[in-house]
Every structure is written in structure tokens, then in C-alpha cells.
């Protein structure tokens, strides 16, 4: 539903679709391939991307699940010891590592998709995500080279057992929703005992936990005020059937998301896990003024951690 941006305003699926439709109408491209790495990234295209715009999109996860960080501290394989953060996402490192070794003049987008899908799904175990395809899937028959170019040193690539092993082995993974928490935890764990760094790392970890609790409580309070406590699980967990957009009223959705961000003063990406709740509130026909008043009330009750 939303793609988080490094700075500025986040991008909603509807706004992205409107831009792509304008580019298509203006004949600004012949065909296009889009890779999206984000939790619930399938929600960007589910029920929204037409098949007649000559766009093929691949996402790290379906519309309702987390994507997974990898090369994380304390896991295998780990980043260098001086880095306390995950270096990549299982979906992204899978297609990039595949591209690093294959001759992209001979590998099709579908062949790459199938390899990445198998590696990312991890045999459908709990804690895996499902790589998805949207739009004009006939584009997947084309070679990756058409969209990414190729590395000349791979022109004579021939598969080997070592290559197959590296591209099918799944590293340890961590939910992207918890990647920030993992970062602060490892900073705290690795800081010298009794040092100012230990004290500061402990504060950062506690602040992150407190912020998460604050966001959890505020969202639950907002839903309770608007719909009643008994409706909280429904608003948090309802998912749309496959092929349907997750949001029916985009103006309402954007208003609630922006209002929550403004009123609750959070700069954490953790709050994005509740995008579905705001979408479900709008889908249930909530009155926007009632919802924004509930947000203001909930967020003014207790301020977020500094």
C-alpha cells in the first residue's frame, strides 16, 4: 500500500499507478520491469497493475506478509564485526547474487524469478515470504539483459555445483519489522561493560521498545474509539482476497496514515506494519473526521518516547 522513502513523503500504490499510467499514455517507455523490496510489497500491485501497460513487476512478498532481512549481525553469514545492521534482504540479495554470476544474455526474467522464488520461500516454512509477479507476465520470457545489461566476464558462464549451492542455500533471516530492534540489541550486547557506549546503547534499545509499545497501544486505542474494542482483531488482521486491492478509498487511507504520522510524531518505520489497519478502517466506511479525531485523541494521551 505504501513504499517508504528515505526522505520526503512516502509513496502510495495509487500514486505510483497514476504515474505509471501517465507514462504509458505518453508512450515514455516500450516495456518496463520493476523490482520492489518491502514488507507487504505485493500490496503495491495487487489488483492495481493492469496487464495492458507492458509492465512486469516482481515483489519480495505478497500483499500480507513481511519480507526478511539477511546477512544480519549474530546470524550466518554475518556482516563485518563493526557493522550492527542487516546488509540486505533475502529477496534482493537473491536476484542480485543470481545476476552476479549468470550470463544475463541467456537467462530469462522467468528463470531468475523461479530461482529467487524458491530461495526466498524456503519451502514455505514459517518466516518466509512469497515472491510475486504482476502485470504483463509475457515479458518474463525476455532475457534479463534487456533490462539490466550484462557483465562481460559472465558471457561464457556455465553452471557449476558450487554456483547452484550458493544460489539455493538460504541464509539466516530476520523480519524486516524487527531489523531496527536487532540493530540496537547488537549495539548494546557488543558495547564494553560499564562504558558510556553501553549506557547509550541501552537507552537506544529501551527507547525503541518503548516507541513500539507506544505505537501498538495508540493504534489499538484508535480502533477501539472508532469501532469498539471487539473490532480490534478484525481491523488489524482482515485481508482482502487475492486479486483485489487492499484499499478501496485511497483518499481516506492517505488521510489516516498522514494524520497518524503527524499527530503521533513517529519517525519509525515500525508504524508501517499498521497500514493494513488503516486500510481496513477505510474499507469499513469509517467517517474520516471521526477517525482523525480519534487519532488526535489517542496520540495526545501519551507522547511518544523522545
Amino acid at each position: 500500500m505504501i513504499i517508504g522513502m528515505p526522505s520526503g513523503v512516502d509513496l502510495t500504490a495509487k500514486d505510483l499507478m497514476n504515474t505509471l499510467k501517465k507514462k504509458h499514455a505518453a508512450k515514455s517507455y516500450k516495456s518496463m520491469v520493476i523490482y520492489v523490496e518491502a514488507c507487504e510489497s505485493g500490496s503495491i500491485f495487487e489488483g492495481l497493475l493492469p496487464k495492458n501497460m507492458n509492465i512486469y513487476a516482481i515483489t519480495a512478498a505478497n500483499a500480507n506478509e513481511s519480507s526478511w532481512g539477511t546477512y544480519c549481525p549474530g546470524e550466518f553469514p554475518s556482516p563485518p564485526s563493526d557493522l550492527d545492521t542487516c546488509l540486505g534482504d533475502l529477496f534482493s540479495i537473491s536476484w542480485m547474487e543470481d545476476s552476479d554470476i549468470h550470463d544475463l544474455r541467456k537467462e530469462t526474467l522467468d528463470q531468475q524469478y523461479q530461482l529467487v522464488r524458491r530461495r526466498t520461500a524456503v519451502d514455505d516454512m514459517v518466516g518466509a515470504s512469497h515472491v510475486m509477479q504482476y502485470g504483463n507476465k509475457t515479458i518474463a520470457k525476455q532475457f534479463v539483459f534487456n533490462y539490466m545489461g550484462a557483465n562481460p566476464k559472465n558471457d561464457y558462464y556455465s553452471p557449476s555445483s558450487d554456483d547452484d549451492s550458493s544460489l539455493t542455500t538460504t541464509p539466516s533471516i530476520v523480519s524486516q519489522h524487527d531489523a531496527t530492534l536487532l540493530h540496537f540489541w547488537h549495539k548494546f550486547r557488543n558495547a564494553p561493560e560499564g562504558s558510556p557506549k553501553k549506557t547509550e546503547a541501552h537507552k537506544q534499545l529501551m527507547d525503541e521498545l518503548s516507541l513500539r509499545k507506544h505505537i501498538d497501544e495508540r493504534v489499538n486505542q484508535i480502533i477501539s474509539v472508532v469501532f469498539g474494542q471487539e473490532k480490534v482483531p478484525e481491523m488489524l488482521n482482515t485481508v482482502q482476497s487475492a486479486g483485489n486491492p487492499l484499499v478501496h478509498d485511497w483518499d481516506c487511507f492517505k488521510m489516516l496514515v498522514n494524520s497518524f504520522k503527524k499527530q503521533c510524531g513517529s519517525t519509525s518505520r515500525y508504524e508501517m506494519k499498521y497500514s493494513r489497519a488503516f486500510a481496513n478502517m477505510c474499507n469499513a466506511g469509517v467517517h474520516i473526521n471521526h477517525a482523525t479525531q480519534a487519532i488526535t485523541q489517542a496520540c495526545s494521551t501519551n507522547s511518544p518516547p523522545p
Side-chain angles (χ1 to χ4, degrees):
M1 290 169 277
I2 299 177
I3 301 176
M5 295 289 117
S7 62
V9 179
D10 293 338
L11 178 66
T12 68
K14 186 66 173 178
D15 289 340
L16 175 62
M17 287 305 113
N18 287 340
T19 299
L20 293 176
K21 288 176 181 177
K22 289 178 182 178
K23 299 293 284 183
H24 179 258
K27 296 180 170 52
S28 299
Y29 64 89
K30 182 178 180 181
S31 59
M32 185 185 303
V33 173
I34 303 174
Y35 293 76
V36 178
E37 160 44 48
C39 294
E40 297 89 35
S41 46
S43 65
I44 301 298
F45 301 106
E46 187 78 39
L48 294 171
L49 181 62
K51 296 180 180 180
N52 63 355
M53 288 172 51
N54 224 24
I55 297 174
Y56 172 62
I58 311 169
T59 65
N62 66 28
N64 304 302
E65 64 191 0
S66 175
S67 62
W68 297 84
T70 191
Y71 298 161
C72 298
E75 305 294 337
F76 179 83
S78 279
S81 58
D82 58 329
L83 296 178
D84 293 309
T85 187
C86 299
L87 296 185
D89 176 274
L90 184 55
F91 166 74
S92 296
I93 66 106
S94 294
W95 71 258
M96 287 190 286
E97 290 178 356
D98 172 84
S99 300
D100 280 344
I101 66 170
H102 282 103
D103 181 355
L104 302 185
R105 299 175 189 273
K106 298 178 180 178
E107 183 180 33
T108 66
L109 288 160
D110 184 65
Q111 288 172 326
Q112 186 180 80
Y113 161 76
Q114 296 297 341
L115 185 148
V116 172
R117 179 187 63 80
R118 289 191 297 270
R119 190 181 186 193
T120 305
V122 200
D123 298 324
D124 290 329
M125 75 174 187
V126 175
S129 67
H130 300 84
V131 178
M132 304 296 290
Q133 304 176 90
Y134 299 96
N136 184 352
K137 297 178 185 177
T138 62
I139 291 176
K141 297 177 182 178
Q142 299 181 31
F143 294 114
V144 181
F145 167 80
N146 292 347
Y147 299 91
M148 288 178 55
N151 186 342
K153 72 178 183 180
N154 294 339
D155 285 355
Y156 302 101
Y157 165 83
S158 59
S160 70
S161 58
D162 288 342
D163 291 337
D164 291 342
S165 175
S166 67
L167 294 176
T168 56
T169 300
T170 298
S172 300
I173 55 178
V174 174
S175 171
Q176 287 286 16
H177 288 307
D178 295 328
T180 300
L181 193 62
L182 180 70
H183 164 68
F184 288 127
W185 161 246
H186 277 276
K187 283 187 68 175
F188 170 70
R189 190 181 71 169
N190 295 332
E193 289 295 335
S195 68
K197 285 187 176 181
K198 192 79 165 182
T199 302
E200 176 61 22
H202 181 263
K203 181 182 184 303
Q204 290 176 327
L205 178 59
M206 291 301 101
D207 284 350
E208 177 65 20
L209 289 169
S210 180
L211 177 60
R212 286 167 173 248
K213 181 181 179 183
H214 173 82
I215 292 173
D216 293 340
E217 291 175 347
R218 297 293 77 77
V219 172
N220 276 265
Q221 182 180 345
I222 291 163
I223 297 171
S224 295
V225 168
V226 176
F227 292 100
Q229 182 63 36
E230 70 280 0
K231 289 288 187 178
V232 171
E234 178 182 336
M235 292 297 112
L236 292 178
N237 300 314
T238 296
V239 298
Q240 301 296 312
S241 57
N244 292 316
L246 272 68
V247 180
H248 302 158
D249 184 342
W250 286 97
D251 290 336
C252 171
F253 176 70
K254 290 174 68 173
M255 180 69 74
L256 298 196
V257 168
N258 291 334
S259 178
F260 184 83
K261 187 182 293 289
K262 179 181 178 180
Q263 298 297 331
C264 285
S266 172
T267 58
S268 170
R269 288 299 180 191
Y270 179 75
E271 68 187 32
M272 294 183 73
K273 69 178 288 186
Y274 288 111
S275 297
R276 183 196 304 169
F278 292 124
N280 286 334
M281 291 172 65
C282 292
N283 294 346
V286 68
H287 193 286
I288 293 179
N289 287 340
H290 187 195
T292 55
Q293 288 171 7
I295 291 172
T296 300
Q297 176 186 333
C299 294
S300 62
T301 302
N302 291 294
S303 299

